Amino acid sequence: MQYRRSGRSGLKLPAISLGLWQNFGRNRPMETQRAILRRAFDLGVTHFDLANNYGPPYGSAEENFGRHFEADFRPFRDELVISSKAGYDMWPGPYGDHGSRKYLIASLDQSLKRMGLDYVDIFYHHRPDPDTPLEETMGALDHIVRSGKALYVGVSNYTSEQVSRAAEILADLGTPLLIDQPRYSMFDRRIERDGLLDALEEVGAGCIVFSPLEQGLLTDRYLKGIPEGSRADTYEWMKNQVDETALARIKGLSAIAADRGQSLAQMALAWALRDERMTSVIIGASSVAQLENNVGALDRPDFDDSELAAIDEFAIG
């Protein structure tokens, strides 16, 4: 495993982190979850990324992780980076969503209880809230660090402008912004157009991206169309994205990956990590084999100019 420093902080994260968004709710066998977590740790994946509403149902990923933590990982707490988030809807009523101080502090208290932890290493505001002053939201994050409930704080889904302002507020409070977690993949290049990495570099924060495999599209799974039981087969919104044009782009990228001696997923992850300012990418895994294949992306991290140009031809369309 490679470890990269998050911005100008002292914290290093594994280049590949494990996210518990999709495969750690009550709809997945506990033994499969346990095997994935144990193998990830053995491979040097020391960062597990969660949020209050991961499941399904909401909260169940944290509950399940808490059980696995107690069974297998408590002796290794100081070798782990565990993160959680709040910012999307979590419970009914006016206090279970968005970015108020009330919601963020209450949500983290609930998350710590579900996971059986005294603190998380990183706590994120999960999305911008235009109806709450940013000073209130960042003030809550500062309070959370000072109360010992989190060691570091970050933001997620923030634009470069929002990141710059959030970092400024936090710096004035004395709690630096550690990291931003945006969506990024070969098919989703918004952070490039927004100049997010430049903004993060300026404020000294790192970047860790989610959905680098575009919900499974950037894998070998769709080379022959939409397989039964896949996400595109299950979710109508995703099925609409997998048309003939998309399949042709996926096949073109897969051919480039094959020339590099990689699977498409491995190439997509290596590509997302190609900028040295990128701290880590978050992967999901439904099996140990899938996890091992994805971590194999680090065996071939470099790209030449011709490969990058060929990737852009298919990825951008």
Side-chain angles (χ1 to χ4, degrees), residues 9-309:
S9 78
L11 183 67
K12 291 183 178 181
L13 297 180
I16 294 179
S17 300
L18 181 64
L20 279 65
W21 178 15
Q22 300 280 359
N23 299 300
F24 289 83
R26 294 180 192 164
N27 59 338
R28 301 287 182 167
M30 289 292 285
E31 282 307 308
T32 301
Q33 296 178 26
R34 185 184 191 193
I36 292 168
L37 289 166
R38 288 164 64 103
R39 183 60 178 145
F41 186 61
D42 287 345
L43 290 170
V45 179
T46 53
H47 176 29
F48 298 148
D49 181 75
L50 297 106
N52 57 356
N53 61 357
Y54 287 178
Y58 289 175
S60 61
E62 289 183 331
E63 290 173 353
N64 288 339
F65 176 75
R67 296 185 180 101
H68 297 303
F69 176 80
E70 188 60 38
D72 295 319
F73 295 102
R74 186 168 290 282
F76 309 104
R77 177 65 184 96
D78 294 334
E79 298 178 51
L80 288 171
V81 173
I82 301 168
S83 62
S84 192
K85 315 176 196 73
Y88 285 96
D89 64 298
M90 181 59 193
W91 65 84
Y95 309 120
D97 200 351
H98 303 301
S100 71
R101 182 184 182 94
K102 168 76 171 174
Y103 171 47
L104 295 182
I105 293 173
S107 179
L108 178 54
D109 285 343
Q110 294 174 16
S111 292
L112 293 174
K113 184 176 181 180
R114 282 191 289 267
M115 293 188 285
L117 300 177
D118 296 323
Y119 68 95
V120 292
D121 296 273
I122 309 170
F123 184 67
Y124 292 87
H125 184 221
H126 209 164
R127 62 168 172 173
D129 176 12
D131 296 324
T132 299
L134 196 55
E135 290 80 2
E136 178 179 344
T137 302
M138 295 303 109
L141 296 185
D142 172 70
H143 169 82
I144 283 167
V145 170
R146 294 181 185 280
S147 67
K149 296 175 183 178
L151 302 185
Y152 302 92
V153 291
V155 294
S156 182
N157 297 299
Y158 275 48
T159 66
S160 60
E161 182 178 354
Q162 290 165 335
V163 158
S164 297
R165 179 60 183 145
E168 180 183 16
I169 295 169
L170 284 170
D172 288 342
L173 294 170
T175 297
L177 177 68
L178 176 80
I179 202 162
D180 183 26
Q181 186 178 134
R183 183 180 180 126
Y184 183 55
S185 75
M186 290 178 175
F187 284 173
D188 189 337
R189 314 283 277 269
R190 282 174 288 181
I191 72 168
E192 294 178 10
R193 297 189 296 271
D194 184 45
L196 181 63
L197 285 176
D198 293 335
L200 290 169
E201 182 178 28
E202 184 174 344
V203 301
C207 186
I208 179 170
V209 298
F210 69 92
S211 293
L213 301 181
E214 199 62 28
Q215 296 291 303
L217 290 182
L218 291 169
T219 71
D220 296 334
R221 195 169 195 191
Y222 292 92
L223 292 177
K224 297 180 180 180
I226 300 177
E228 185 176 352
S230 66
R231 288 182 190 171
D233 183 52
T234 305
Y235 300 108
E236 192 66 30
W237 63 267
M238 191 170 175
K239 183 181 294 185
N240 294 333
Q241 299 180 36
V242 190
D243 55 17
E244 291 185 7
T245 300
L247 292 173
R249 294 167 68 193
I250 293 167
K251 290 176 182 177
L253 290 169
S254 181
I256 298 170
D259 288 341
R260 287 171 48 85
Q262 291 181 307
S263 68
L264 175 53
Q266 289 171 339
M267 184 179 77
L269 294 172
W271 179 90
L273 286 164
R274 71 196 186 284
D275 192 309
E276 64 182 10
R277 297 172 297 179
M278 190 65 71
T279 310
S280 182
V281 296
I282 299 172
I283 62 167
S286 58
S287 68
V288 169
Q290 187 182 68
L291 169 75
E292 292 174 337
N293 178 269
N294 288 347
V295 172
L298 301 177
D299 294 338
R300 180 74 195 281
D302 299 322
F303 293 84
D304 60 37
D305 290 342
S306 63
E307 288 174 327
L308 292 174

